[in-house]
Amino acid sequence: MRILPLLSIFLAAVSLRAEYLLPPNARVAVIGDSITEQKIYSKYIETYLLACTGRSDIHVFQFGWSGERAGGFAARLENDLAVFNPNVATTCYGMNDASYRPYAPEIGAEYEKNMRLVVDGLKKVGVKVMAIGSPGGVDPDYFKKNVTGQDYNDNLSHLRDIAKKLAEENKQPFANVYDTMISALTKSKAALGKEYGPFGGDGFHPAPAGQLLMAQAFLKALGFDGDIGRITIDMKGPNTASTGHTVKGLQLGSVTLESTKWPFVFDADSSSAGSNRSILPFTSFNQDLNRFTLKVVNLGSAKAKVTWGTQSKEFSREQLEAGVNL
């Protein structure tokens, strides 16, 4: 059985929840400090929005600024965003706001004050949807500042809680970047050792593996349910597909699809932190955001080999009846 996705010129709708959070003609501003300015997690967000939703009315621009704190963006917000006119924004501040020392109440108070200015400023320029992000975390094995990585993560966790509070107060989605990153870091270190560095060589400017975790947190906050496609092949009856896909034929065990929504594609290297694929065993990106499900019913044999592109895998009749994520 072979799956051959083909390009189609037709447009498809995204899930209702994501449509609600991303309005028609969405203009998404990705905002933050030098971590955002790396233009990696913003690229992953843009790729997902353009390739995985079936929509052509989404525009993305990143507004990262090296060394910036929330107060710095509040000061430049109106001037810098005016030309783009965003109606959706993601924010990721806190790494610099935490001041590279253990947490103290004045750090939290200053961060909260400036993030309130950011939220109010975004409302003023017409942003309707804000995925208010927490800061990420640091890798204690690589983080070399005047504070230990453990103590700095404690500091950042306080700012996470403040960002969550502001999101709830303003009835906006919260992107839990911190927990998404720290959870995957802990699991990956246990499996691969302390040399594995998804948060980059300095422990806080993430490599592509860590940047994928950031994109994951923001995409989940924006409401995407990960249902890229559902294809049902009935060996004795009609074949069906979810919105964005059309089954064009089933001949000689080969299924041909026309698709306007594609799964998110990862780098090839499965071991280096310089590859976003390497973090996949330690996070739920594919389960939460990247499900392209094939279901086969009325299969005449106990098992079947599914080939999609150059990849092949064998599944039992029971697995195919339940559905497998390609």
Side-chain angles (χ1 to χ4, degrees), residues 93-95 98 103 108 111 132-137 153-168 174-180 182:
Y93 286 103
M95 188 60 70
Y103 182 75
Y111 175 73
I132 299 174
S134 72
N153 277 332
D154 174 73
N155 188 342
L156 295 168
S157 72
H158 283 82
L159 303 193
R160 170 203 60 197
D161 295 342
I162 293 170
K164 182 179 180 181
K165 179 180 72 172
L166 292 176
E168 291 172 348
F174 169 62
N176 195 343
V177 180
Y178 178 88
D179 284 355
T180 303
I182 292 298

Side-chain angles (χ1 to χ4, degrees), residues 5-285:
L6 302 177
L7 177 64
S8 170
I9 62 173
F10 301 105
L11 299 179
V14 298
S15 71
L16 290 177
R17 186 177 175 214
E19 278 189 322
Y20 172 74
L21 292 181
L22 257 67
N25 300 311
R27 301 181 67 81
V28 184
V30 182
I31 299 161
D33 52 30
S34 58
I35 296 170
T36 304
E37 195 182 29
Q38 288 179 271
K39 303 180 183 69
I40 302 177
Y41 83 83
S42 60
K43 176 181 70 176
Y44 295 157
I45 290 173
E46 182 175 21
T47 299
Y48 190 95
L49 295 182
L50 296 180
C52 303
T53 68
R55 290 177 56 174
S56 63
D57 64 336
I58 300 173
H59 296 83
V60 182
F61 199 88
Q62 74 85 29
F63 292 87
W65 192 289
S66 180
E68 190 166 65
R69 302 183 182 210
F73 179 69
R76 68 181 176 95
L77 184 158
E78 190 169 358
N79 178 73
D80 286 15
L81 292 187
V83 68
F84 185 62
N85 294 318
N87 50 19
V88 179
T90 70
T91 65
C92 192
Y93 286 103
M95 188 60 70
N96 296 316
D97 303 78
S99 299
Y100 300 99
R101 59 189 178 93
Y103 182 75
E106 60 268 23
I107 291 176
E110 183 71 7
Y111 175 73
E112 180 171 345
K113 180 191 75 173
N114 288 324
M115 280 302 299
R116 288 188 182 278
L117 292 175
V118 169
V119 171
D120 290 344
L122 290 173
K123 290 179 182 178
K124 182 179 178 181
V125 299
V127 173
K128 304 300 183 184
V129 177
M130 305 171 208
I132 299 174
S134 72
V138 303
D139 181 347
D141 292 323
Y142 287 89
F143 185 73
K144 306 299 180 185
K145 294 285 186 179
N146 293 326
V147 57
T148 67
Q150 291 83 355
D151 283 345
Y152 207 55
N153 277 332
D154 174 73
N155 188 342
L156 295 168
S157 72
H158 283 82
L159 303 193
R160 170 203 60 197
D161 295 342
I162 293 170
K164 182 179 180 181
K165 179 180 72 172
L166 292 176
E168 291 172 348
E169 284 182 8
N170 288 276
K171 296 180 172 56
Q172 295 290 345
F174 169 62
N176 195 343
V177 180
Y178 178 88
D179 284 355
T180 303
M181 294 184 72
I182 292 298
S183 174
L185 180 73
T186 302
K187 295 173 185 176
S188 65
K189 293 283 187 177
L192 303 177
K194 66 179 183 179
E195 293 78 14
Y196 180 68
F199 292 6
D202 61 6
F204 66 100
H205 284 95
Q211 297 272 348
L212 184 71
L213 299 171
M214 298 183 70
Q216 177 181 342
F218 283 111
L219 289 168
K220 289 182 67 175
L222 288 172
F224 291 96
D225 63 8
D227 188 13
I228 306 298
R230 286 169 280 111
I231 313 302
T232 300
I233 305 301
D234 188 338
M235 304 303 289
K236 296 182 179 180
N239 308 308
T240 61
S242 60
T243 301
H245 310 277
T246 303
V247 178
K248 302 300 291 186
L250 176 60
Q251 296 179 343
L252 300 176
S254 177
V255 178
T256 302
L257 302 176
E258 283 186 352
S259 298
T260 59
K261 298 169 66 175
W262 297 278
F264 190 89
V265 178
F266 305 97
D267 301 327
D269 188 346
S270 62
S271 59
S272 168
S275 165
N276 56 24
R277 182 181 294 273
S278 67
I279 202 67
L280 291 178
F282 314 108
T283 191
S284 57
F285 189 100

Side-chain angles (χ1 to χ4, degrees), residues 275-323:
S275 165
N276 56 24
R277 182 181 294 273
S278 67
I279 202 67
L280 291 178
F282 314 108
T283 191
S284 57
F285 189 100
N286 279 333
Q287 299 92 316
D288 294 345
L289 292 166
N290 206 30
R291 298 187 309 280
F292 195 92
T293 306
L294 171 68
K295 184 176 181 180
V296 181
V297 297
N298 293 317
L299 184 67
S301 58
K303 57 186 178 180
K305 182 172 72 172
V306 177
T307 299
W308 189 20
T310 61
Q311 301 293 315
S312 296
K313 191 170 182 179
E314 196 171 84
F315 298 97
S316 69
R317 180 194 294 121
E318 292 74 20
Q319 287 175 308
L320 290 168
E321 287 179 349

